[in-house]
Amino acid sequence: MSAECSSYLNADKVLVSGFSCPRTGGDARAVYCCGFQDVKYCCDDPHSFFPYKHSYMWWLSVGALVGLSIAAVVLFAFIITVCVLCYLFISTKPRNKLDTGLSLQMA
């Protein structure tokens, strides 16, 4: 089984001539023509979209994890600050009630 990848213009506007899959010297299982209008390649999965490994996604994930970690630390610090302020507010209230000067007992 083989597939034909037609010629195309790559991202640099250079014409890349068509080729057959699998390519000589390439993976024998790569019998499908995959890719987009500006990059085509032979692959073993007809639903494959990217010709390279997905390791670049880890950098995006690391950035997202760092951002989420910073947000979590800020939220945690905010919650601790609110708890400390509430404790200080409650603990510094006077324990005895102020005398209003009015007696509520019957004479």
Side-chain angles (χ1 to χ4, degrees), residues 1 4 6 13 18 20 24-25 34-35 38 43 46-47 49 51-52 54 65 70 72 75 86 90-91 94 101 106:
M1 178 178 199
E4 292 290 325
S6 60
K13 304 297 183 208
S20 295
T24 53
C34 298
D38 60 346
C43 64
H47 303 292
F49 294 108
Y52 36 80
H54 299 290
L65 288 176
I70 291 171
L75 179 65
C86 286
I90 292 171
S91 67
M106 298 223 7

Side-chain angles (χ1 to χ4, degrees), residues 63-85:
L65 288 176
V66 168
L68 288 174
S69 298
I70 291 171
V73 168
V74 168
L75 179 65
F76 185 69
F78 176 75
I79 291 172
I80 294 296
T81 303
V82 167
C83 290
V84 167
L85 290 175

Side-chain angles (χ1 to χ4, degrees), residues 6-50:
S6 60
S7 59
Y8 61 94
L9 289 174
N10 65 10
D12 298 325
K13 304 297 183 208
V14 176
L15 180 66
V16 177
S17 60
F19 53 89
S20 295
C21 296
R23 295 182 113 169
T24 53
D27 188 3
R29 295 174 297 162
V31 295
Y32 299 102
C33 181
C34 298
F36 301 101
Q37 291 180 351
D38 60 346
V39 61
K40 293 183 181 180
Y41 59 96
C42 296
C43 64
D44 60 351
D45 180 10
H47 303 292
S48 176
F49 294 108
F50 297 104

